[in-house]
């Protein structure tokens, strides 16, 4: 009867939750909120929920997406509010809109990431980022279930901007003040670098830890263990170099950026 697309955030301590656990949490919240879900056929029916990628465990995000198939037509904003109230603090439903034709995954071509590097000098980080962007390739190893695999992290990297922190993601984008602060932020007097990157979503996907490995390979930069990452946006690159909101055409709006890069 109806297909809805949702944008949600994964924040605070909930960043350590695996995608499988997030999916289970959503299924329980859909039942608690009384959402009239369509279910699959077979011996063990499941609600029809389609996920458009997922951040790695331990990574925060302001721009995750999923699709719901319903057996009744509902008001998207009412569903958003009811589902958001049923979810735990740290998983926040930001937008709900009726789906238009076309695959949502096809609109998610790039991601903008913010990588916080406590105890990292900004000048040193800037020099390392410049070396990485100037390199023709940056081969890094990643552990997979089939063994170690070598990928070129530079091939997917479109831009890298260095900022000075610490700076929180804008509080207007945070629904609950209890999740607005990262638990392990250092004091303001310590060096603190922020790397904002735009990465093409290739196969395999280049993740923030791959970018950090590339900085180590190309520039011998070894950040502290307190590094944290947040996906700020997903979408398509527009003509101005911004990232278009993947839900804009569903809601009938213009192709405008889904969010803003971290403030400098």
């Amino acid at each position: 009867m109806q297909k809805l697309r949702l944008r949600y955030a994964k924040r605070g301590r909930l960043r350590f939750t695996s995608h499988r656990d997030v999916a289970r949490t959503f299924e329980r919240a859909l039942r608690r909120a009384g959402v009239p879900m369509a279910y699959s056929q077979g011996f063990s029916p499941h609600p029809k929920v389609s996920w458009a990628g997922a951040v790695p465990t331990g990574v925060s995000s302001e721009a995750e997406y999923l699709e719901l198939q319903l057996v009744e037509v509902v008001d998207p904003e009412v569903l958003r509010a009811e589902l958001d109230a049923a979810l735990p603090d740290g998983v926040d439903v930001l937008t709900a809109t009726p789906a238009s034709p076309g695959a949502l995954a096809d609109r998610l071509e790039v991601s903008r990431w913010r990588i916080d590097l406590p105890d990292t000098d900004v000048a040193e980080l800037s020099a390392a980022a410049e070396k990485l962007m100037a390199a023709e390739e940056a081969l890094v190893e990643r552990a997979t279930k089939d063994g170690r695999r070598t990928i070129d992290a530079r091939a997917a990297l479109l831009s890298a901007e260095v900022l000075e922190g610490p700076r929180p993601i804008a509080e207007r984008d945070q629904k609950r003040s209890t999740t607005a602060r990262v638990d392990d932020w250092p004091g303001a007097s310590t060096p603190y670098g922020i790397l904002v990157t735009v990465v093409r979503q290739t196969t395999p996907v280049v993740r923030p830890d791959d970018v950090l490995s590339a900085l180590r390979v190309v520039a011998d930069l070894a950040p502290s263990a307190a590094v944290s990452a947040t996906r700020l946006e997903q979408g398509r690159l527009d003509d101005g170099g911004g990232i278009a909101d993947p839900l804009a055409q569903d809601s009938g709006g213009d192709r405008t950026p889904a969010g803003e890069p971290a403030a400098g």
Side-chain angles (χ1 to χ4, degrees):
M1 293 283 296
Q2 186 182 35
K3 180 186 289 187
L4 297 179
R5 288 172 175 161
L6 277 59
R7 175 188 174 194
Y8 71 95
K10 182 181 175 185
R11 299 165 171 160
R13 290 182 174 87
L14 268 293
R15 69 186 186 274
F16 297 111
T17 306
S18 70
H19 175 62
R20 179 173 296 182
D21 286 337
V22 169
R24 290 171 178 164
T25 299
F26 262 93
E27 289 190 12
R28 290 193 293 268
L30 288 166
R31 289 195 295 269
R32 285 197 296 269
V35 177
M37 293 296 301
Y39 280 79
S40 62
Q41 303 297 314
F43 182 75
S44 180
H46 294 281
K48 289 189 175 181
V49 181
S50 299
W51 301 87
V55 290
T57 302
V59 175
S60 303
S61 179
E62 294 294 310
E64 299 300 290
Y65 296 91
L66 59 85
E67 292 182 341
L68 305 177
Q69 292 191 41
L70 311 182
V71 295
E72 298 177 13
V73 176
V74 303
D75 183 318
E77 177 55 27
V78 171
L79 180 143
R80 187 210 65 77
E82 293 292 332
L83 181 57
D84 189 54
L87 285 163
D89 186 20
V91 178
D92 305 326
V93 183
L94 307 177
T95 306
T97 184
S100 62
L104 176 60
D106 292 343
R107 305 178 193 174
L108 305 179
E109 297 178 349
V110 299
S111 288
R112 188 185 307 276
W113 294 95
R114 168 185 166 135
I115 305 174
D116 288 59
L117 297 96
D119 301 319
T120 299
D121 181 74
V122 173
E124 182 182 0
L125 179 59
S126 296
E130 289 178 5
K131 286 184 179 180
L132 178 56
M133 293 305 298
E136 293 186 1
E137 64 177 14
L139 300 179
V140 300
E141 287 192 346
R142 177 193 296 173
T144 71
K145 62 180 180 180
D146 299 319
R148 301 197 70 82
R149 179 175 183 178
T150 300
I151 64 173
D152 182 6
R154 175 63 186 88
L157 189 61
L158 300 180
S159 66
E161 178 188 7
V162 174
L163 307 173
E164 186 173 3
R167 300 284 174 84
I169 296 171
E171 289 197 15
R172 64 180 179 80
D173 292 331
Q174 301 282 5
K175 187 188 70 174
R176 302 179 176 93
S177 60
T178 56
T179 61
R181 251 185 94 82
V182 176
D183 302 327
D184 50 10
W185 276 353
S189 61
T190 61
Y192 197 110
I194 297 171
L195 181 65
V196 179
T197 65
V198 176
V199 180
R200 194 179 303 279
Q201 298 188 177
T202 55
T203 302
V205 174
V206 172
R207 302 170 178 172
D209 57 337
D210 298 320
V211 175
L212 294 176
S213 296
L215 290 173
R216 187 177 298 109
V217 168
V218 171
D220 198 28
L221 181 72
S224 71
V227 170
S228 62
T230 301
R231 174 145 59 190
L232 300 176
E233 301 176 78
Q234 289 192 77
R236 289 176 177 162
L237 283 177
D238 60 25
D239 294 337
I243 297 180
D245 182 354
L247 302 186
Q249 72 183 69
D250 293 323
S251 59
D254 296 329
R255 286 166 56 87
T256 53
E260 298 177 358

